[in-house]
């Protein structure tokens, strides 16, 4: 590893911040990661845990291909993190069935290997699926525990010398001469404030990116898009159940360990800290989930939770209308030359997002060290605590 005498502060301890800290520290930067709560306490720790195959996004071929390729990269560099159980897209109605040919064509264009199977064969694989299903397609989905993935990225970053500080919240910036000189941080454990100077700052706080950037007088065009998920008291399948239609509310059921999770709804809010769970969203999840697997209606609900996606967009009214790809926001246009923000994307594309952010930081700081995160195995998650 080549040592780089530049200090980078990464703000945000979700999967994007963790992957960015790993990418930069592997390139030789001195890295400090700040997280206002526990690791993964924001959006990343509350995802349903789907290792996307990309098939849900086939309407955008490039996003779907990107998702599938990262799916394969993560399986290669961290096989111990993922349940490689696969997934099924199933048609329940005639409208679903009408979507099938488009779906298969676009999967082919995106390079995603899928296989149509007879409904009887799908029911033999997954007896809890709706017995009236009209078509089924096998896809390379998988599942994971979000916290373990985040901890693996952070364990890898720490192995390269990164310093990780949970419960350290950025409460201000010192901006002088067109650059951020330092962040002002509240250590919630010792209840003291301190300043941390660095050469460069990365805002990887997802749905909170604009709230954090505004502390420096900057703007990030993020659209926080909450989604409600319902966890059932029991596991009702092996493969991921997807509804064969355009992405919509309650059209996916993910199984891992001893539970199954129905997801999700989607709407837009201004403040990700002020989100409550609408009762009607929970009822909709159970109704839609029961259409895919009737057993859902007889299951006890173990937990209901919500997380806010950091979608890219300005004018959308619902989360289904904005981009699922990602964007790096260059704050030099606002007069601050050493800070970038990153928003959008999906959990499965976090490594790629971090690689692109690492490239951008290197370009700004005049450093020429390529990313190696797609080649090297991730450290086991339990080493984070060592």
């Amino acid at each position: 590893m080549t040592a780089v005498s530049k200090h980078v502060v990464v703000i945000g301890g979700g999967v994007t911040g963790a992957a960015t800290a790993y990418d930069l520290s592997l390139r030789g930067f001195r890295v400090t990661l700040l997280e206002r709560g526990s690791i993964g306490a924001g959006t990343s720790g509350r995802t349903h845990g789907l290792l996307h195959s990309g098939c849900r996004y086939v309407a955008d071929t490039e996003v779907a291909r990107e998702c599938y390729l990262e799916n394969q990269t993560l399986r290669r560099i961290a096989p111990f993190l993922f349940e490689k159980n696969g997934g099924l897209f199933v048609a329940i109605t005639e409208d679903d069935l009408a979507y099938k040919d488009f779906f298969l064509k676009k999967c082919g264009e995106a390079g995603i290997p899928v296989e149509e199977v007879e409904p009887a064969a799908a029911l033999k694989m997954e007896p809890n699926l709706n017995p009236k299903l009209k078509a089924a397609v096998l896809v390379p989905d998988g599942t994971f525990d979000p916290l373990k993935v985040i901890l693996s990225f952070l364990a890898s970053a720490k192995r390269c010398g990164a310093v990780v500080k949970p419960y350290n919240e950025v409460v201000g910036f010192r901006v002088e001469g067109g650059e951020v000189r330092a962040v002002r941080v509240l250590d919630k454990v010792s209840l003291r404030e301190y300043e941390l100077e660095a050469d460069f700052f990365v805002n990887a706080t997802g749905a909170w990116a604009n709230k954090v950037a505004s502390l420096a007088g900057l703007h990030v065009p993020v659209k926080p898009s909450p989604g409600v998920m319902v966890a059932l008291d029991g596991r009702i399948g092996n493969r991921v159940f997807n509804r064969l239609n355009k992405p919509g509310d309650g059209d996916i059921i993910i199984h891992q360990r001893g539970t199954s999770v129905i997801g999700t709804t989607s709407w837009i809010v201004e403040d990700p800290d002020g989100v409550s769970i609408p009762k009607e969203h929970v009822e909709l999840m159970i109704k839609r989930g029961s259409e895919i697997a009737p057993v859902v209606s007889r299951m006890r609900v173990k937990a209901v939770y919500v997380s806010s996606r950091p979608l890219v967009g300005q004018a959308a009214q619902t989360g289904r209308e904005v981009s699922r790809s990602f964007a790096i926001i260059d704050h030099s246009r606002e007069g601050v030359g050493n800070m970038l923000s990153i928003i959008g994307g999906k959990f499965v594309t976090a490594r790629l997002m971090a690689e692109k952010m690492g490239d951008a930081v290197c370009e700004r700081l005049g450093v020429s060290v390529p990313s190696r995160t797609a080649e090297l195995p991730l450290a086991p998650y339990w080493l984070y605590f060592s």
Side-chain angles (χ1 to χ4, degrees):
M1 185 175 68
T2 303
V4 179
S5 61
K6 300 290 186 182
H7 182 206
V8 182
V9 167
V10 177
I11 309 167
V15 69
T16 304
T20 301
Y22 172 47
D23 185 282
L24 291 170
S25 59
L26 186 59
R27 295 185 200 231
F29 287 95
R30 187 160 64 90
V31 175
T32 304
L33 182 143
L34 303 171
E35 161 57 44
R36 72 173 186 171
S38 59
I39 297 302
T43 299
S44 297
R46 302 182 185 193
T47 180
H48 43 42
L50 170 62
L51 183 65
H52 277 288
S53 60
C55 293
R56 281 177 62 80
Y57 305 113
V58 290
D60 187 327
T61 304
E62 290 307 312
V63 170
R65 181 183 294 114
E66 174 184 283
C67 203
Y68 171 66
L69 293 176
E70 282 305 300
N71 171 313
Q72 297 299 295
T73 298
L74 291 174
R75 289 171 187 251
R76 187 175 63 251
I77 65 174
F80 53 90
L81 286 174
F82 303 102
E83 189 173 342
K84 304 166 193 71
N85 40 357
L88 279 162
F89 275 72
V90 295
I92 306 299
T93 66
E94 291 296 332
D95 285 344
D96 294 346
L97 192 59
Y99 183 71
K100 187 186 72 173
D101 288 346
F102 171 82
F103 177 83
L104 293 173
K105 174 176 176 288
K106 299 297 283 186
C107 285
E109 290 176 2
I112 304 171
V114 300
E115 178 189 358
E116 185 174 2
V117 296
E118 293 295 325
L123 287 167
K124 189 173 181 180
M125 295 176 198
E126 299 291 351
N128 278 326
L129 282 170
N130 190 327
K132 297 179 181 177
L133 68 90
K134 299 178 183 301
V137 181
L138 280 168
V139 305
D141 281 341
T143 56
F144 58 84
D145 180 326
L147 183 58
K148 290 179 179 177
V149 179
I150 299 167
L151 292 179
S152 271
F153 276 116
L154 288 179
S156 305
K158 288 176 69 176
R159 195 166 55 181
C160 297
V163 175
V164 180
K165 293 188 170 186
Y167 299 105
N168 276 248
E169 181 174 4
V170 172
V171 294
F173 291 83
R174 175 158 57 89
V175 182
E176 296 171 351
E179 289 197 336
V180 175
R181 301 297 182 187
V183 284
R184 194 169 73 252
V185 184
L186 170 62
D187 182 332
K188 294 180 173 177
V189 176
S190 65
L191 298 179
R192 70 179 182 92
E193 281 195 17
Y194 64 95
E195 273 200 349
L196 182 63
E197 296 184 342
D199 299 289
F200 208 92
F201 298 83
V202 173
N203 175 15
T205 53
W208 289 264
N210 191 49
K211 293 187 76 169
V212 171
S214 67
L215 297 173
L218 305 173
H219 176 68
V220 176
V222 64
K223 286 289 182 183
S225 173
V228 170
M229 281 158 278
V230 175
L232 303 176
D233 189 15
R235 178 167 178 153
I236 64 170
N238 182 35
R239 295 163 183 80
V240 178
F241 298 169
N242 303 271
R243 189 78 175 256
L244 185 58
N245 57 22
K246 293 191 294 185
D249 293 341
D251 61 358
I252 187 166
I253 306 176
I254 298 105
H255 322 286
Q256 59 167 301
R257 293 187 290 185
T259 190
S260 295
V261 177
I262 310 167
T264 175
T265 52
S266 183
W267 74 103
I268 296 293
V269 299
E270 291 299 320
D271 184 358
D273 284 320
V275 178
S276 58
I277 298 177
K279 181 182 176 183
E280 60 271 24
H281 285 215
V282 178
E283 294 169 347
L284 179 62
M285 290 298 94
I286 295 171
K287 176 180 180 297
R288 293 281 290 171
S290 299
E291 292 171 5
I292 300 173
V295 68
V296 166
S297 64
R298 304 191 295 274
M299 300 289 290
R300 189 179 79 85
V301 172
K302 182 164 63 178
V304 176
Y305 56 102
V306 64
S307 67
S308 294
R309 311 169 190 85
L311 301 186
V312 183
Q314 289 282 9
Q317 296 302 309
T318 75
R320 305 287 181 208
E321 298 168 338
V322 295
S323 170
R324 296 311 312 275
S325 190
F326 61 89
I328 293 176
I329 309 303
D330 182 353
H331 294 297
S332 65
R333 298 168 187 168
E334 299 172 274
V336 173
N338 65 336
M339 179 170 165
L340 296 170
S341 296
I342 186 164
I343 54 175
K346 295 166 286 297
F347 196 106
V348 71
T349 59
R351 188 216 61 82
L352 176 64
M353 295 167 68
E355 178 183 318
K356 298 302 182 186
M357 176 57 84
D359 290 345
V361 173
C362 281
E363 182 180 347
R364 289 299 184 82
L365 292 177
V367 174
S368 180
V369 181
S371 176
R372 298 172 62 204
T373 59
E375 308 164 12
L376 301 178
L378 282 180
Y381 60 88
W382 56 86
L383 291 184
Y384 171 77
F385 300 101
S386 64

